[in-house]
Every structure is written in structure tokens, then in C-alpha cells.
């Protein structure tokens, strides 16, 4: 471009777009040879389209499709609407730098972001949601609430958890782990690195190599930082010969894994390079499969509802019936797994859609999206049936007749990535976590120095009751301290003055209530304890 674009240019571009819409310009599809297209776009100076065309040529493409719209010729697979007059409501929203192909080694381009909807009302509703989403942005709130940070010198995509953020994560981890153990899961731990050979055996090195970090040499052997937890869990299973009486075995691990993401795709906590999964692998017999799936779905529903989500979107990914050759496992196992997954979802009375051809090569899977407080869907939980790893690692169990049989394996992550789930929670609650989740549940605000001692004693009493409490004993006004606590979105604030010190009655402010309530210390403790127990 002859000049660098600025936000003030966007309304000007919108005006030209509206003129083009009024001209009822047709979108006409053309086809031509790759060589002719390269020649045409070289003439126009479209160096990036030429690069794409040359790549297509190397891949063996002979012809490509283009679209003519007025004077504009575009390289595009399509399809398009018939004419510009069919365009609905739109708005250009902002500009951003973007590396060509998302690679920081390439040139920085300018990307224009826009929105398009069928009607002006849909666009208007979405724009209002965007305003709300900006207020809830977990990157902004994470900084304001002192939860986490990123540091370029430390490394991109690697979050540093501050005390309050680490506490929030610990609360989440403690809750889910307790629930898993109650349901018969066994806690395991596996190292962060392993020999490269094990990931060759598992198939990850061939199938996910682009997302894995380079090997490191340790005593002339190649080791790699783990992208998945499953090989370690399999090795634990294989330390003993298992009987059908031992199954199902449910291993769970809050395991941190590392996957390469291009710097242009990193986004706060929701897209990082190191993340912790609430991972589990269930090894079971074919006859146990359906019941295990039902139990996982029940658990998923309970966990997500406890975190405040009530709307779910469920999809079941199955094989492409016309191209079964690209999947591992026999028809019998696939039919059993797909049928069992569908029946398990129906058992919980969930509506679901079937996605043909979206199964992973080693088995069908179920994905769950939750809807946040402002209506946005987030992909969270996944449940996969695996025929591949039991085969690759020669997993067996001894059946009732004393014969070796191959078990099935379920991969299950209910929160998915704890980093991503934390980002979702921050945005869902706009940083105002319910009392049971809040890193600081009570902020004690002494009016003056004479009230410090009693405030500290009160804090000790609360800590004895396992409440998370802070005393703001800085030399500032009470009003300023209250505003600070409100900005930190602490659920409860207690202002301690002469009356409170002498009378043992608390002056209780809740962040969501305008009215200040007075109650005894005992009644206040009972109130918080009940909120925590009920996870309101």
C-alpha cells in the first residue's frame, strides 16, 4: 500500500464497500491453468498470491479457481454469494499486524478485521456483546487482578502464575481431583521428558511432529519434552499382567504438556505453549465401554455445572462411511464405540449432532462446548475411544477363559487445558469469582492503627476455618481501601472500627449488595462456610 492504514481509514473503506454493494456486482467463477494464473498475478504484482500458486503447482495442481468481482480478480476456492447486493450487514472493527502465514520469520502485513451478519439487528447484538467481551478480556483482568503474567525474556506462551492466580488454579485442581478420586480414578504422575522412541511407538512423532519440540541429547540418546501424557500411563499399566477382574483401570494426572504454537497464534491463557491437562485414561473391556462412557459424561456434566455452566453443545465425531480405509481398527470395534458413545450421550438426555468424517484416525470422539455468560461457545471437554495405542503398545488383559485379550482405551479431559479453562472462568465471571473459587474470600479493612491487632486476630480465626483472607493495614483512607477491594472483586469486605472491635459485631459488605449488613462473627463464618460447601 502507498501508506500505512490507521483506524480512521476503516469508515472510508466501509463507504466504498457500500457503493460496491449498490452496484450489484456479480461474483463470477473462473478457472485457468496454474501457469496462466501465476503469469496473471505476477503482472498485477500480487506476490503473495503468486507464492500460493507456486506452492499449489508443486503439490501437483493443474488448474485453479478465481472469482471476478467488477475489476477485482481474486484467487479463491469459493463459493460466494451471487452478487454484492446479497451482502448483509457488516462492520470493519480494527486493524492488526499479522505475519504472512503466521510465521514470525516472514514479513509483517496489515490485517483488517470485519464482521458480517444477515441482518443489522444481528450485527448490533454482536457488537454489544463485543463491548462486554472487551471488559471481560482475561488478559486485561488477569493483570488487574494480579493473577498471571507473560514475560518475553522468560519465553512466549509460557504463563507465570502469581500467588492469587496459582491459588485459583489450586482450588480448581483440588476440586476436580477430589471428584475423580471419589469415582474410582487412581492418581499417577509421569515425567516431563521421555525418550523420543516412545513417541515414535505411540505415533505422535509421525502424526503430531509439527506441534512437538525438537529432541534433546542426553548421553547420546534423543529425549523429548512430552506433548501428551498417554504413553506414561500405558507404561504404568504394563508393569503388571492385568486380569479382567482388574478392569476398568482409570488413571488420572494433572499433567503439564508442551506443544509448539506459532507466536502469531498465541493468545493469553487460551493458546499457550505449556499447559496442564486434567488428563485421564480409562482402560476397559469392550463390554465395559458403554457404562464407562456414561459415567464420564455424568462426571463431565457435574463438574461443568459446578463451575457455573448450564448450556452445552455436544458433537459426536464418527468415521467417514465412504472412506473407512484411513481409520485404524475393525468395523466391529468402530460400530461398538460409535453406538456406545451415542447411547451414553442419550442416557444423559443431551442433544447432539453427528459429524461424519471428523473422528480421529484411532477412534470416535465426543466434544463438549459450554456457553459463557455473554453467549459465546467455548470448546472444553473431549472424550475419545482409542483402538490405536492398545495395539501399538500391545496392551492385554487375561479374560475369564485365561486367554489374552486387547482392551479399549478412553482418553478423557473434562476441563481440557487448565490454562484455557482459567481464561474462560475469568471471562465468564468477569473476574468476580464465586466465594468458593475466589483467591481472596474476605478483605479485612481496619479503620486505623488501633484496629490492626483485632483485625489480625480476626484473620487468624478465619484462616483456622480455612477461609482465604487478607488484612489491608496500609495507611490509607477507608474509602480508598474499599474501592481497592471492589476493584479486586473480593466477595466480602469487613470494615473494622471501634464498634466492631468492642462489640464483636461485623460490618459486612458484599461486592454484589448495596446494603451493608451487621452480623456476629459466628453468623458470618456460617454464611461463608455454607457458600463454599454449596459452591454457589
Amino acid at each position: 500500500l502507498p501508506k500505512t492504514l490507521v483506524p480512521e481509514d476503516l469508515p472510508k473503506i466501509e463507504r466504498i464497500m457500500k457503493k460496491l454493494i449498490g452496484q450489484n456486482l456479480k461474483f463470477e467463477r473462473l478457472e485457468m491453468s496454474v501457469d496462466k494464473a501465476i503469469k496473471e498475478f505476477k503482472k498485477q504484482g500480487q506476490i503473495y498470491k503468486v507464492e500460493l500458486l507456486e506452492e499449489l503447482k508443486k503439490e501437483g495442481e493443474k488448474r485453479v479457481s478465481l472469482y471476478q468481482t467488477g475489476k477485482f480478480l481474486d484467487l479463491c476456492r469459493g463459493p460466494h454469494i451471487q452478487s454484492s447486493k446479497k451482502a448483509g450487514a457488516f462492520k470493519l472493527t480494527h486493524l492488526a499486524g499479522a505475519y504472512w502465514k503466521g510465521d514470525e520469520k516472514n514479513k509483517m502485513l496489515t490485517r483488517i478485521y470485519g464482521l458480517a451478519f444477515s441482518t443489522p439487528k444481528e450485527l448490533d447484538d454482536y457488537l454489544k456483546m463485543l463491548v462486554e467481551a472487551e471488559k471481560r478480556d482475561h488478559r486485561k483482568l488477569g493483570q488487574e487482578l494480579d493473577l498471571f503474567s507473560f514475560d518475553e525474556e522468560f519465553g512466549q506462551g509460557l504463563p507465570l502464575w502469581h500467588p492469587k492466580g496459582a491459588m485459583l488454579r489450586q482450588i480448581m485442581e483440588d476440586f476436580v481431583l477430589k471428584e475423580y478420586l471419589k469415582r474410582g480414578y487412581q492418581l499417577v504422575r509421569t515425567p516431563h521428558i521421555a525418550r523420543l522412541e516412545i513417541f515414535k511407538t505411540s505415533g505422535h512423532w509421525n502424526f503430531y511432529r509439527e506441534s512437538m519440540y525438537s529432541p534433546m541429547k542426553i548421553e547420546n540418546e534423543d529425549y523429548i519434552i512430552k506433548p501428551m501424557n498417554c504413553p506414561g500411563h500405558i507404561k504404568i499399566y504394563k508393569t503388571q499382567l492385568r486380569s479382567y477382574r482388574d478392569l476398568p483401570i482409570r488413571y488420572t494426572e494433572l499433567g503439564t504438556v508442551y506443544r509448539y504454537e506459532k507466536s502469531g497464534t498465541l493468545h493469553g491463557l487460551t493458546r499457550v505453549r505449556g499447559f496442564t491437562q486434567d488428563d485421564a485414561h480409562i482402560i476397559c473391556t469392550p463390554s465395559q465401554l458403554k457404562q464407562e462412557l456414561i459415567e464420564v459424561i455424568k462426571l463431565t456434566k457435574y463438574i461443568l455445572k459446578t463451575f457455573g455452566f448450564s448450556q452445552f453443545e455436544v458433537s459426536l465425531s464418527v468415521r467417514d462411511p465412504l472412506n473407512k480405509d484411513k481409520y485404524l481398527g475393525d468395523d466391529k470395534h468402530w460400530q461398538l464405540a460409535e453406538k456406545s458413545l451415542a447411547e451414553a450421550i442419550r442416557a444423559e438426555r443431551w442433544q447432539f449432532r453427528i459429524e461424519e468424517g471428523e473422528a480421529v484416525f484411532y477412534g470416535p470422539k465426543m466434544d463438549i462446548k459450554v456457553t459463557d455468560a455473554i453467549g459465546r461457545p467455548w470448546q472444553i471437554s473431549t472424550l475419545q475411544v482409542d483402538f490405536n495405542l492398545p495395539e501399538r503398545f500391545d496392551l492385554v488383559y487375561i479374560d475369564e477363559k485365561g486367554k489374552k485379550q486387547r482392551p479399549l482405551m478412553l482418553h478423557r479431559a473434562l476441563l481440557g487445558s487448565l490454562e484455557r479453562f482459567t481464561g474462560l472462568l475469568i471471562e465468564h465471571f468477569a473476574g468476580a469469582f464465586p466465594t468458593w473459587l475466589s483467591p481472596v474470600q474476605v478483605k479485612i479493612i481496619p479503620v486505623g492503627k488501633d484496629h490492626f491487632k483485632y483485625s489480625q486476630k480476626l484473620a487468624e480465626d478465619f484462616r483456622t476455618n480455612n477461609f482465604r483472607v487478607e488484612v489491608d493495614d496500609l495507611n490509607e483512607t477507608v474509602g480508598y481501601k474499599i474501592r481497592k477491594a471492589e476493584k479486586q472483586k473480593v466477595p466480602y469486605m469487613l470494615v473494622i472500627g471501634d464498634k466492631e472491635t468492642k462489640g464483636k459485631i461485623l460490618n459486612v459488605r458484599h461486592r454484589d449488595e448495596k446494603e451493608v449488613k451487621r452480623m456476629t462473627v459466628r453468623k458470618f463464618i456460617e454464611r461463608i462456610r455454607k457458600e463454599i460447601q454449596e459452591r454457589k
Side-chain angles (χ1 to χ4, degrees):
L1 295 175
K3 66 182 278 291
T4 302
L5 290 177
V6 293
E8 289 73 25
D9 291 319
L10 297 184
K12 299 173 191 173
I13 296 170
E14 283 183 349
R15 285 196 290 272
I16 297 167
M17 291 169 75
K18 286 171 183 171
K19 282 182 185 175
L20 294 170
I21 287 171
Q23 291 172 26
N24 194 20
L25 299 169
K26 304 293 179 192
F27 288 91
E28 296 177 289
R29 188 177 186 276
L30 310 170
E31 270 196 16
M32 64 175 66
S33 70
V34 172
D35 288 331
K36 188 177 177 184
I38 289 171
K39 193 175 177 183
E40 175 64 34
F41 284 115
K42 273 185 178 176
K43 198 190 301 177
Q44 292 187 21
Q46 294 280 356
I47 58 171
Y48 297 108
K49 286 176 184 172
V50 170
E51 186 180 325
L52 294 175
L53 285 161
E54 286 173 343
E55 286 173 4
L56 289 171
K57 185 177 178 179
K58 279 181 190 173
E59 290 167 11
E61 294 289 343
K62 299 283 190 276
R63 298 183 68 76
V64 291
S65 64
L66 303 102
Y67 278 83
Q68 183 82 44
T69 314
K71 295 177 183 178
F72 181 59
L73 183 66
D74 194 19
L75 172 66
C76 193
R77 187 176 281 128
H80 285 276
I81 53 177
Q82 292 173 328
S83 77
S84 61
K85 202 169 185 179
K86 297 275 186 184
F90 70 89
K91 181 168 182 63
L92 303 183
T93 56
H94 61 287
L95 300 161
Y99 290 110
W100 172 237
K101 295 183 178 175
D103 188 340
E104 61 269 28
K105 293 174 186 173
N106 290 334
K107 283 191 178 180
M108 173 75 79
L109 309 180
T110 300
R111 177 179 288 159
I112 302 176
Y113 287 83
L115 303 168
F117 285 89
S118 299
T119 65
K121 185 184 182 306
E122 286 175 290
L123 174 62
D124 188 50
D125 288 345
Y126 190 77
L127 289 171
K128 286 175 183 171
M129 187 275 288
L130 282 185
V131 171
E132 183 60 31
E134 193 174 346
K135 293 179 196 169
R136 293 168 178 261
D137 189 327
H138 75 277
R139 295 167 299 174
K140 174 172 160 283
L141 286 172
Q143 190 174 4
E144 289 175 4
L145 300 177
D146 196 22
L147 300 175
F148 63 88
S149 62
F150 290 90
D151 184 275
E152 288 289 321
E153 191 175 0
F154 192 87
Q156 287 187 312
L158 301 169
L160 300 170
W161 293 92
H162 298 200
K164 288 176 185 173
M167 178 57 72
L168 172 63
R169 264 195 57 164
Q170 193 64 49
I171 298 160
M172 292 161 55
E173 291 179 15
D174 289 347
F175 164 61
V176 295
L177 186 56
K178 186 179 177 183
E179 292 301 324
Y180 301 160
L181 297 178
K182 270 166 60 177
R183 288 162 172 80
Y185 286 81
Q186 299 176 68
L187 182 64
V188 295
R189 299 272 187 226
T190 58
H192 288 245
I193 64 170
R195 287 181 63 206
L196 176 58
E197 286 303 312
I198 199 166
F199 291 106
K200 287 182 177 177
T201 303
S202 70
H204 291 116
W205 185 244
N206 292 330
F207 288 100
Y208 298 103
R209 191 169 179 173
E210 287 184 2
S211 298
M212 295 170 71
Y213 286 98
S214 301
M216 63 186 98
K217 283 283 183 193
I218 301 177
E219 296 181 348
N220 295 320
E221 283 192 291
D222 284 331
Y223 279 73
I224 196 158
I225 194 160
K226 67 176 178 180
M228 308 276 184
N229 297 306
C230 19
H233 294 191
I234 286 169
K235 285 296 183 181
I236 293 170
Y237 177 87
K238 290 196 71 175
T239 56
Q240 300 174 35
L241 183 61
R242 310 288 178 171
S243 157
Y244 71 94
R245 292 188 185 90
D246 298 320
L247 302 185
I249 286 177
R250 308 179 190 100
Y251 291 139
T252 187
E253 176 180 14
L254 292 161
T256 302
V257 297
Y258 302 87
R259 297 178 194 170
Y260 172 65
E261 300 280 359
K262 291 180 178 178
S263 60
T265 64
L266 299 173
H267 184 83
L269 293 177
T270 59
R271 198 77 178 262
V272 291
R273 287 176 172 163
F275 57 92
T276 303
Q277 292 179 306
D278 66 319
D279 217 350
H281 295 94
I282 300 169
I283 300 168
C284 65
T285 68
S287 63
Q288 293 168 337
L289 177 63
K290 181 181 171 183
Q291 190 57 39
E292 287 304 304
L293 293 170
I294 288 172
E295 292 305 318
V296 170
I297 291 170
K298 281 182 177 176
L299 176 58
T300 305
K301 198 173 185 180
Y302 171 72
I303 294 285
L304 295 178
K305 281 193 167 185
T306 303
F307 278 111
F309 301 102
S310 56
Q311 294 182 51
F312 306 102
E313 188 181 313
V314 183
S315 62
L316 173 57
S317 298
V318 299
R319 280 188 302 180
D320 180 349
L322 303 176
N323 191 8
K324 293 181 180 178
D325 293 341
K326 68 177 186 177
Y327 303 97
L328 293 171
D330 57 33
D331 278 349
K332 178 183 165 188
H333 277 133
W334 273 92
Q335 287 164 8
L336 171 68
E338 290 178 355
K339 183 184 176 189
S340 299
L341 264 169
E343 288 176 352
I345 298 168
R346 288 192 190 102
E348 281 305 297
R349 298 182 181 177
W350 269 351
Q351 298 294 318
F352 66 96
R353 68 175 187 277
I354 293 176
E355 305 272 11
E356 282 192 353
E358 293 300 313
V360 284
F361 71 93
Y362 54 74
K365 68 185 178 99
M366 178 191 80
D367 292 308
I368 298 175
K369 289 181 180 176
V370 299
T371 302
D372 72 8
I374 56 174
R376 298 171 300 177
W378 295 67
Q379 168 67 53
I380 296 296
S381 308
T382 186
L383 172 58
Q384 302 172 354
V385 183
D386 187 354
F387 316 125
N388 175 50
L389 291 183
E391 190 73 36
R392 282 179 174 266
F393 284 95
D394 191 27
L395 297 191
V396 296
Y397 68 94
I398 306 301
D399 70 9
E400 297 93 325
K401 297 176 182 177
K403 292 184 178 178
K404 287 184 178 181
Q405 299 292 347
R406 185 83 69 213
L408 296 174
M409 185 171 180
L410 307 184
H411 301 254
R412 186 237 71 186
L414 302 194
L415 304 184
S417 149
L418 284 173
E419 283 72 10
R420 178 176 165 75
F421 194 76
T422 303
L424 161 58
L425 283 183
I426 293 169
E427 299 202 7
H428 180 60
F429 291 114
F433 303 109
T435 305
W436 76 276
L437 265 179
S438 188
V440 178
Q441 296 165 321
V442 182
K443 179 76 85 171
I444 298 176
I445 301 171
V447 173
K449 289 182 180 179
D450 294 342
H451 313 114
F452 285 1
K453 189 175 179 182
Y454 179 74
S455 296
Q456 291 294 352
K457 183 185 177 303
L458 198 58
E460 286 172 22
D461 291 343
F462 290 154
R463 290 187 189 109
T464 303
N465 282 277
N466 295 317
F467 300 157
R468 296 181 291 278
V469 59
E470 285 183 351
V471 178
D472 189 344
D473 56 6
L474 295 177
N475 187 23
E476 297 164 339
T477 66
V478 171
Y480 183 69
K481 289 179 182 180
I482 290 171
R483 287 194 296 276
K484 272 200 306 180
E486 287 173 341
K487 196 173 179 183
Q488 285 289 301
K489 302 182 187 287
V490 178
Y492 286 98
M493 291 154 273
L494 307 178
V495 177
I496 305 298
D498 292 338
K499 287 182 181 178
E500 290 74 30
T501 304
K502 292 171 185 172
K504 311 296 182 187
I505 298 290
L506 298 177
N507 190 352
V508 180
R509 293 170 179 264
H510 190 278
R511 73 177 168 220
D512 297 329
E513 298 171 2
K514 289 182 180 178
E515 184 186 350
V516 177
K517 294 180 179 176
R518 292 183 67 76
M519 61 183 77
T520 63
V521 172
R522 183 178 174 182
K523 190 174 178 183
F524 178 67
I525 288 173
E526 286 172 0
R527 174 173 172 165
I528 295 194
R529 187 179 287 134
K530 187 180 179 191
E531 276 188 43
I532 294 168
Q533 286 172 348
E534 294 178 358
R535 296 193 179 92
K536 286 187 176 181

